[in-house]
C-alpha cells in the first residue's frame, strides 16, 4: 500500500511540470493560427483597394486631369498586377478632345452602349499608349452623360 501512495505523490508533483510545456505549446499554436487567420498587415498587398492621389492614378496611364474636370474616388489595387482607377466629372464637350490630346496615336473613341456606355476607349502599348505609361492597358468609359453639360468618366489603368 505504501508503494501506491508514494507513486501517486510522485506523479502529483511531476504531472504539473509535464503539463506546463503542453499548455504553453498549445497556446503558441493557437496564437499562430489566429495571427495567420487575421492577416491584417498591409491590406493593399492582399488586393484591397487603397485611396491614392488622383494625379498618381492618372499618371499610371500617362494621363493628366483635364483642366475643367473634377477627379475623385481614385484608388489602387496591388496584387499580381497593379490597377489604378479614377472617376472624373467633366464637361461633356471636353471628353473627346481630352482623349485625343492624351492618346493621340490611339484608335478613335467609340460609342456603342452595352459595356461601353456612352463612349469608350481602350488603349494598349500596341495601339497608341504612350511609352511613359506604366500601365499595359488604359480603359476610359463615359458611363453616362449626367446632364446636357456633364459627363461621368471612369478611368482605369492596369498591368497584365
Amino acid at each position: 500500500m505504501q508503494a501506491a501512495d508514494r507513486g501517486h505523490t510522485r506523479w502529483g508533483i511531476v504531472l504539473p511540470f509535464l503539463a506546463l510545456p503542453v499548455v504553453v505549446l498549445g497556446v503558441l499554436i493557437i496564437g499562430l493560427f489566429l495571427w495567420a487567420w487575421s492577416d491584417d498587415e498591409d491590406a493593399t498587398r492582399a488586393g484591397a483597394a487603397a485611396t491614392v492621389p488622383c494625379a498618381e492614378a492618372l499618371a499610371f496611364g500617362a494621363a493628366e486631369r483635364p483642366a475643367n474636370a473634377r477627379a475623385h474616388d481614385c484608388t489602387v489595387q496591388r496584387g499580381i498586377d497593379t490597377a489604378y482607377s479614377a472617376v472624373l466629372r467633366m464637361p461633356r464637350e471636353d471628353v473627346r478632345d481630352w482623349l485625343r490630346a492624351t492618346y493621340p496615336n490611339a484608335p478613335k473613341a467609340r460609342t456603342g452602349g452595352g459595356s461601353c456606355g456612352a463612349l469608350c476607349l481602350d488603349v494598349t502599348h500596341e495601339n497608341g499608349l504612350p511609352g511613359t505609361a506604366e500601365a499595359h492597358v488604359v480603359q476610359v468609359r463615359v458611363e453616362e452623360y449626367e446632364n446636357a453639360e456633364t459627363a461621368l468618366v471612369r478611368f482605369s489603368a492596369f498591368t497584365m
Side-chain angles (χ1 to χ4, degrees), residues 44-50 52 75-85 159:
T44 57
R45 282 195 299 206
V52 294
T75 61
V76 63
Q77 283 185 292
R78 290 188 174 94
I80 294 173
D81 299 316
T82 302
Y84 281 86
S85 66
T159 59

Side-chain angles (χ1 to χ4, degrees), residues 34-139:
L34 291 174
W35 173 75
W37 194 8
S38 68
D39 192 29
D40 53 8
E41 270 186 39
D42 184 6
T44 57
R45 282 195 299 206
T51 302
V52 294
C54 291
E56 178 182 330
L58 293 168
F60 191 74
E64 293 181 2
R65 184 179 61 83
N68 295 327
R70 192 169 37 102
H72 57 90
D73 295 335
C74 300
T75 61
V76 63
Q77 283 185 292
R78 290 188 174 94
I80 294 173
D81 299 316
T82 302
Y84 281 86
S85 66
V87 176
L88 303 165
R89 281 190 166 73
M90 60 188 296
R92 183 175 174 166
E93 63 190 24
D94 294 350
V95 174
R96 287 183 189 268
D97 290 339
W98 174 67
L99 290 174
R100 277 193 292 272
T102 303
Y103 304 111
N105 299 320
K108 198 173 180 183
R110 63 189 190 282
T111 59
S115 65
C116 182
L119 180 73
C120 61
L121 177 66
D122 298 320
V123 189
T124 65
H125 282 290
E126 290 79 26
N127 72 353
L129 193 61
T132 57
E134 294 178 61
H136 299 149
V137 178
V138 170
Q139 293 179 331

